[in-house]
Amino acid sequence: MALDLPALRAHFPALDSGLAFFDGPGGTQTPRSVADAVAATMTGPLSNRGAVSVSERNAARAVEDFRAAYADLLNVPADGVVHGRSATQLTFDFSRHLAKDWRPGDEIVVSRLDHDSNVRPWIQAAERAGVTVRHIEIDPLTTELDLDSYERALSPRTRLVAVTAASNVLGTKPPVRRIADRAHEAGALVYVDGVHYAAHHLVDVPALGADLFVCSPYKFLGPHCGVLAAAPDLLAGIRPDKLLPSPDTVPERFEFGTLPYEILAGATAAVDFLAAMDPGTAATATRRERLARSLDSLHAHERALSARLADGLRALGDAVTVHTRAADRTPTVLMTLEGRDARDAQAHLAAQGVVAPAGSFYAHEAFAALKLPDPALRVGLAPYTTATEVDRLLDGLAGFL
């Protein structure tokens, strides 16, 4: 199993620019097939969903295809797939939905490792409901979650645990299933931010133990939107505020207003592109099986490039401090440069045609808990990244230093 990297890269018009993109954790480049799906749906013909005209049926098919694609990607039923404008928007929405049933004296648990989109919505909802917020801390030596602090945070009053499946800045992958099992023993729901995780792993929501799982297709070659996945029975018990004439069925009751059919089509095309990255899969294989093979090949590709990157950063010596230290992590590296501003490094690399951003990337809690310098430089690998591009990045850093 292997990626045909030249063939894969030929699908990305942005790569014709000659730029080397290491900003995948913030959003990947887009293959032509995704853009074509967006354009074809918009020019349809297209109307609001219905079953009478061809334009109505085109809209309905875009929604059905989207739910089927993300059911395959996330291993959930199609009627457990909810579209949202972004993962942040979905989390704010569901924090409000769920908090309707919280009462003073209840508790929730959030993580210091998470992107703020899986922290602030819950804290703000808890403040409105008079609910206590507890935290899972980070071990500063390993950049992994301190599970002893998690045990101290849990209680019979815990209503929800919100945790990331992978840190967007450190790459750390917490033991989500272990965290979820303990939460369920306490009677709490588990909300998992899989935005960074889904870009590098085939997601199995039930195997993770997540009750609600959110991801963002634009992190894995798709258009800008968010997707929430959950068991339909769980969604059926959650009552959002909604317009009276709008559907009350699951999952439609959580999707406010007219859906962006062209974005749904692009998100579907992204899943199909992922499934086709390894061309060696049998034509009779299911889309889920093709996704598994392609992502296995992607892992092998990322492991090789991660080793090359790590070796190159070590060769730069004490001038570079790598803050990514977890044993189990994604191919994402956060670093600071001794005595140098990461924004200057970003600008120097950009002048060399290398895109690597500096900042704190909405990881407010992690930067504060670990006392990380802000900004720091973040480097992430994507399916289209090559060994030559890794060398360009390393050469650019060496020149800057």
Side-chain angles (χ1 to χ4, degrees), residues 236-256:
I238 301 172
R239 307 298 307 189
D241 294 328
K242 56 176 286 296
L243 302 181
L244 188 62
S246 65
D248 197 36
T249 53
V250 168
E252 283 85 356
R253 69 165 64 146
F254 302 104
E255 297 167 333
F256 308 128

Side-chain angles (χ1 to χ4, degrees), residues 7 71 109 113 137 140 145 184 210 216 221 234 249 286 294 352 359 380 388 401:
V109 178
L113 189 63
E137 305 295 340
L145 284 181
H184 292 150
S216 299
L221 315 182
L234 174 64
T249 53
T286 66
S294 285
Q352 313 301 313
T388 300
L401 294 168

Side-chain angles (χ1 to χ4, degrees), residues 356-374:
S360 57
F361 310 103
Y362 286 78
H364 174 79
E365 298 287 340
F367 266 71
L370 297 175
K371 298 181 174 58
L372 295 171
D374 182 3

Side-chain angles (χ1 to χ4, degrees), residues 17 42 54 122 188 286 288 324 356:
S17 66
M42 291 190 77
V54 63
W122 303 113
T286 66
R288 177 80 180 174
T324 300

Side-chain angles (χ1 to χ4, degrees), residues 331-343:
T332 297
V333 177
L334 188 76
M335 68 186 84
T336 48
L337 310 168
E338 187 65 30
R340 308 296 293 272
D341 191 316
R343 286 168 294 210

Side-chain angles (χ1 to χ4, degrees), residues 87-352:
T88 300
Q89 174 253 306
L90 284 165
T91 306
F92 265 116
D93 284 350
F94 274 81
S95 71
R96 290 188 287 266
H97 304 334
L98 294 172
K100 288 181 179 181
D101 296 326
W102 297 349
R103 298 292 178 265
D106 289 342
E107 300 177 355
I108 65 168
V109 178
V110 296
S111 146
R112 301 284 189 198
L113 189 63
D114 274 71
H115 186 289
D116 209 51
S117 69
N118 202 30
V119 177
R120 216 56 46 191
W122 303 113
I123 289 178
Q124 291 172 3
E127 289 171 347
R128 288 190 295 270
V131 168
T132 300
V133 179
R134 303 198 183 279
H135 291 84
I136 313 174
E137 305 295 340
I138 306 175
D139 182 331
L141 297 179
T142 64
T143 66
E144 296 175 348
L145 284 181
D146 178 350
L147 296 185
D148 289 338
S149 73
Y150 176 50
E151 292 296 334
R152 293 191 296 271
L154 275 178
S155 83
R157 298 182 297 278
T158 305
R159 299 298 306 275
L160 176 128
V161 174
V163 67
T164 186
S167 164
N168 72 308
V169 291
L170 296 166
T172 302
K173 293 189 294 183
V176 173
R177 183 56 194 248
R178 179 178 171 185
I179 291 168
D181 286 346
R182 286 292 293 117
H184 292 150
E185 289 171 9
L189 288 174
V190 178
Y191 189 100
V192 174
D193 174 1
V195 170
H196 188 61
Y197 180 89
H200 302 284
H201 294 274
L202 181 64
V203 177
D204 189 329
V205 171
L208 284 172
D211 296 299
L212 301 115
F213 180 97
V214 69
C215 64
S216 299
Y218 74 98
K219 307 289 189 175
F220 45 88
L221 315 182
H224 289 81
C225 65
V227 178
L228 181 137
D233 288 348
L234 174 64
L235 293 176
I238 301 172
R239 307 298 307 189
D241 294 328
K242 56 176 286 296
L243 302 181
L244 188 62
S246 65
D248 197 36
T249 53
V250 168
E252 283 85 356
R253 69 165 64 146
F254 302 104
E255 297 167 333
F256 308 128
T258 302
L259 287 171
Y261 306 119
E262 66 279 5
I263 297 297
L264 301 185
T268 300
V271 173
D272 286 333
F273 187 91
L274 289 172
M277 283 195 307
D278 187 324
T281 311
T284 56
T286 66
R287 180 161 51 190
R288 177 80 180 174
E289 290 168 341
R290 288 183 282 119
L291 283 163
R293 180 177 176 118
S294 285
L295 288 167
D296 279 346
S297 298
L298 176 61
H299 292 163
H301 173 63
E302 290 177 340
R303 280 194 299 271
L305 292 187
S306 292
R308 190 184 193 98
L309 176 61
D311 289 345
L313 291 175
R314 278 193 295 270
L316 295 175
D318 294 339
V320 176
T321 300
V322 174
H323 300 280
T324 300
R325 296 190 291 273
D328 191 11
R329 58 184 186 264
T330 64
T332 297
V333 177
L334 188 76
M335 68 186 84
T336 48
L337 310 168
E338 187 65 30
R340 308 296 293 272
D341 191 316
R343 286 168 294 210
D344 293 337
Q346 176 185 2
H348 176 85
L349 291 169
Q352 313 301 313

